[in-house]
Amino acid sequence: MGIASGPEDVIAVLVRDHRDIEDVFLELEHRATAPARRRHLVDTAISTLARHTLAEERYLYPAVRRHLEDGDPVADREIAEHAEAERLMKRLQGVEPTDARFEPLVRELIASVRGHVEGEEHGLLPRLRDACARDELMELGDTVRQFERNAERGAPDGHAYPPPHPGGPARPAADPPEAPGTGMVDRLRDALTGRGR
């Protein structure tokens, strides 16, 4: 994941993340043919998406709830979309690239994430930019970048998962792993949120 060196607001940080994820998707769709490379790309997409969605859930959506008149239902919808992507990522974890289920799951994940990104970039993020003070957007950008730096190092950021919003889902539903043990999505969520400590 590319992290810029200069100050950025939260919208610029999240859009850059979207481009990084799209680069992986494009390689999956058009360039990577060897099964080992496809597995690596899917694992990269999963870890990048997990960090990105956690950052949005922790920092972006609380700002959406505070600043948009319809912030609660908007944030709840975004979190539900994250839950769907997480279910797909968990299903992909246990499927080898040579398995007939692999490619349909990859296509489904790509379509789900692209739809979510489209909605954010053409709806939610411009609305938040209009409703939120520039200083707060910049502060959120710094916070998200620090969270991502910690995530790239595999270090938790030291904060517990935010409490659920009254009347909204606590966080995306967590399906049990398909194989014994904890899958990558669960391990990333645990490491980055302190869940399970």
Side-chain angles (χ1 to χ4, degrees), residues 73-165:
V74 168
D76 291 346
R77 183 188 68 236
E78 299 291 317
I79 289 169
E81 290 176 6
H82 282 187
E84 177 57 28
E86 189 168 309
R87 278 191 287 276
L88 290 166
M89 289 187 286
K90 286 181 179 188
R91 289 177 63 197
L92 263 168
Q93 288 175 170
V95 179
E96 292 302 318
T98 53
D99 188 306
R101 297 172 296 165
F102 186 82
E103 295 304 327
L105 283 170
V106 167
R107 286 192 298 274
E108 191 175 352
L109 177 63
I110 289 171
S112 173
V113 171
R114 281 180 175 157
H116 178 76
V117 165
E118 173 89 9
E120 278 192 349
E121 291 189 7
H122 294 98
L124 175 63
L125 296 178
R127 289 183 64 206
L128 186 64
R129 175 167 279 146
D130 291 343
C132 193
R134 174 140 176 82
D135 288 350
E136 185 174 352
L137 292 174
M138 294 301 290
E139 183 179 324
L140 281 169
D142 289 343
T143 302
V144 168
R145 284 176 55 188
Q146 186 59 50
F147 179 88
E148 290 178 346
R149 283 187 190 106
N150 290 341
E152 283 187 347
R153 291 192 304 263
D157 66 358
H159 301 287
Y161 199 88
H165 186 273

Side-chain angles (χ1 to χ4, degrees), residues 18 20 24 34 63 73 81 125 129 151 189:
H18 293 165
D20 290 344
V24 175
E81 290 176 6
L125 296 178
R129 175 167 279 146
R189 187 173 283 281

Side-chain angles (χ1 to χ4, degrees), residues 58 147 150-151 153-159 190-195 197:
R58 178 168 284 173
F147 179 88
N150 290 341
R153 291 192 304 263
D157 66 358
H159 301 287
D190 290 348
L192 298 176
T193 65
R195 183 176 73 177
R197 282 194 248 162

